[in-house]
Amino acid sequence: MTSHERDPLPERLRSAIDGLAREIEPRRDAWPAIRSRIDAERVVPLHTDGRPPCRAARRWPVAAAAVLVIAASTVTMLASNRQRRPTADGAAFNTAVGVGAGAARVASDRRQLVADVCNSYDAAADDLQRVLVARRARLSPKTVQVLESSLRAIDQAIREARAALEVDPASQDLMDLLDSVYRQKLDLLRRANALPLHSS
Amino acid sequence: MPYRLFLVIACLLAPFTAVPAQQKIDRRLQLDATGMFKFFLSSGAVRVVGWDTDSIAVTGTISTKSQFYLGGGRQGAKGGVEGDGVEAMADLIVRVPRRARLWVRGGEADVRVEGMSGPLDCGSASGSVRIEGSSDEVVAETMGGDLVLVGSPNYLRLKTATGRVDWSGTGEDGAITTVSGRVTVHGGMTRRGRIETVTGDVRYDGGIAAGSVLAIDTHAGNVDLRVPKGTNAALVVTAAISDLFGLRSMGDPAKSPSGIVQELGGATSGATLTIRTFKGRVTATSP
């Protein structure tokens, strides 16, 4: 640090800085929907009267809130780990999330999630496959053969994983494996569409 | 007897009738030591060799119906063979500055790269790719061709569809993807690694460093894990059938694959090795 940097600020500059707004809000017309959600969850400043923020009298609500947050996070994490991680003696990953109507609702939600994910991937794959169909005649027959056999293997894997998820929609591992196969499909299609074409 | 004689003569002549007329290539171009060079050919074979000279030299033969091109400046150049199929058959040796940034693609051609230390991006659709060298960054892909890497890049991305992947070396950050191609790793990834196949088998023969994360996901491939004695890592396996260091586990085929955690060496190093397969078998052994 130079001596110049250690010097106090000139009075004129200091007053100019003090006069600046503490926050600059984004324009109201930008992303109104996002804006309204941010406003709904706006954090209220703990001190607005210029006093130091860490007064002892104000510490306990913050500490209590912190304890609550940590406790809630821990419970959530434990519950999540119990659901996702295997046990050392080889028990199944996929413990039920609940029983009765609650479990049925969770299963239904998960099935819907799986369907939504698959629909999104399928739509993207369809787009890429349309491009591939248009280019297919100008790819080498050897490459077309490789692509067809690979896509068959991938589609078979997707069908099997989806069928397993129908039976066990809570399985995060199945979901991850399905996601991996779908990503492979999209990547293969993208790579196929980037291959050089024959001139004839 | 005359029929057999005719067959023998036809077989002997066949190679000569299939090969089109050829022209010799011997071209040179200056390129800075760390310049960029792009090369493309459709069929045949290209061998790229790194050398300690600030220039590119291309020698070999191409068919007379194809056209060779090479051009550019000292910081970047490109070359290749224009044409398709047998008519663009080429057999070339390309010498480039060892530390150059190399991009090479072969449509159906085999690509071989040796002695390079600069970043590599190599690929072929149905040809094979073989890389030997000390490059720090290797990206290579094929569709049906095999992909072989002998080297230890810190950054590694290898992809095939049906082609086999065979890597000997170590790397900090690696990802290997195939559809049905078999993956074989001798060495391993020391910080983070991911191997994904759909039906291809995976054999990982190597260690896992402290704090590193390695994930192997395959839908139907078998996974054969061989870790060195004294490995310290958490091994998390999700599979219908597994045999982990002699501890056999058979899941219910009607249910999802079941999970097992084994703490190797106390698992105090923070390293995690996760293997997931929908219907493959996982085997883990240690010498």
Side-chain angles (χ1 to χ4, degrees), chain A residues 160 168 176 184 191 199, chain B residues 84 142 177 219 256 276 279:
Chain A
E160 288 176 357
D168 185 4
D176 290 346
Q184 290 247 52
R191 286 169 57 206
S199 53
Chain B
D84 292 331
T142 70
T177 310
H219 180 80
S256 299
R276 293 187 293 198
K279 59 180 189 182

Side-chain angles (χ1 to χ4, degrees), chain A residues 93-94 114 153-182 184, chain B residues 179 195-202 216-223 236-242 249-259 274-283:
Chain A
F93 258 52
N94 312 297
V114 172
I154 287 172
D155 287 339
Q156 174 70 17
I158 288 171
R159 276 195 297 275
E160 288 176 357
R162 286 194 71 170
L165 274 163
E166 269 298 309
V167 178
D168 185 4
S171 171
Q172 190 58 43
D173 288 295
L174 281 177
M175 195 66 203
D176 290 346
L177 283 168
L178 178 67
D179 182 65
S180 164
V181 178
Y182 263 123
Q184 290 247 52
Chain B
V179 176
I195 299 172
E196 289 178 307
T197 80
V198 179
T199 58
D201 293 342
V202 178
I216 300 173
D217 280 354
T218 171
H219 180 80
N222 296 321
V223 180
V236 183
V237 175
T238 306
I241 307 167
S242 63
S249 170
M250 182 89 79
D252 182 348
K255 291 183 178 173
S256 299
S258 54
T274 307
I275 302 172
R276 293 187 293 198
T277 172
F278 179 69
K279 59 180 189 182
R281 172 196 289 265
V282 177
T283 309

Side-chain angles (χ1 to χ4, degrees), chain A residues 126-139 192-193 197:
Chain A
D126 286 348
D127 288 344
L128 292 167
Q129 260 170 322
R130 270 193 291 276
V131 178
L132 182 62
V133 167
R135 291 167 49 95
R136 185 193 150 104
R138 290 177 62 193
L139 289 171
N193 288 340
L197 297 174

Side-chain angles (χ1 to χ4, degrees), chain B residues 5-279:
Chain B
L5 187 64
F6 172 76
L7 202 66
V8 169
I9 292 167
C11 287
L12 287 171
L13 290 175
F16 298 101
T17 53
V19 176
Q22 294 180 330
Q23 54 178 315
K24 279 193 171 180
I25 298 294
D26 187 355
R27 295 274 297 275
R28 275 141 220 276
L29 187 72
Q30 285 195 321
L31 185 75
D32 284 350
T34 56
M36 171 85 192
F37 182 55
K38 288 189 168 191
F39 194 83
F40 175 81
L41 78 164
S42 175
S43 51
V46 60
R47 186 169 150 230
V48 182
V49 182
W51 67 352
D52 296 317
T53 305
D54 289 358
S55 62
I56 300 162
V58 186
T59 55
T61 55
I62 64 170
S63 70
T64 49
K65 288 186 176 176
S66 60
Q67 200 168 2
F68 179 81
Y69 63 94
L70 179 68
R74 291 193 66 110
Q75 293 186 344
K78 67 178 179 180
V81 181
E82 283 181 342
D84 292 331
V86 179
E87 291 188 351
M89 190 66 82
D91 187 1
L92 298 169
I93 296 177
V94 181
R95 289 183 173 80
V96 295
R98 195 178 298 284
R99 291 187 293 134
R101 285 171 291 142
L102 178 69
W103 181 100
V104 56
R105 287 288 184 280
E108 295 170 32
D110 294 330
V111 175
R112 186 169 179 162
V113 180
E114 298 165 15
M116 294 293 294
S117 60
L120 300 179
D121 186 343
C122 309
S124 180
S126 47
S128 65
V129 172
R130 182 180 176 87
I131 300 166
E132 285 180 48
S134 56
S135 292
D136 203 40
E137 184 183 319
V138 174
V139 176
E141 60 182 53
T142 70
M143 283 288 178
D146 291 343
L147 208 165
V148 178
L149 168 66
V150 181
S152 298
N154 279 327
Y155 180 87
L156 169 75
R157 295 291 180 269
L158 304 177
K159 286 180 187 179
T160 74
T162 59
R164 168 178 65 94
V165 174
D166 194 335
W167 173 35
S168 298
T170 57
E172 273 199 5
D173 178 352
I176 300 173
T177 310
T178 78
V179 176
S180 57
R182 179 186 169 87
V183 177
T184 308
V185 176
H186 309 273
M189 299 161 197
T190 56
R191 184 160 298 190
R192 58 181 164 266
R194 173 166 284 278
I195 299 172
E196 289 178 307
T197 80
V198 179
T199 58
D201 293 342
V202 178
R203 178 177 169 181
Y204 186 90
D205 186 354
I208 179 162
S212 58
V213 177
L214 172 65
I216 300 173
D217 280 354
T218 171
H219 180 80
N222 296 321
V223 180
D224 181 6
L225 174 71
R226 297 175 187 207
V227 292
K229 204 172 181 178
T231 296
N232 189 313
L235 174 63
V236 183
V237 175
T238 306
I241 307 167
S242 63
D243 182 350
L244 309 181
F245 309 102
L247 181 68
R248 290 180 179 81
S249 170
M250 182 89 79
D252 182 348
K255 291 183 178 173
S256 299
S258 54
I260 298 170
V261 174
Q262 280 209 358
E263 293 182 343
L264 310 179
T268 52
S269 71
T272 307
L273 222 161
T274 307
I275 302 172
R276 293 187 293 198
T277 172
F278 179 69
K279 59 180 189 182

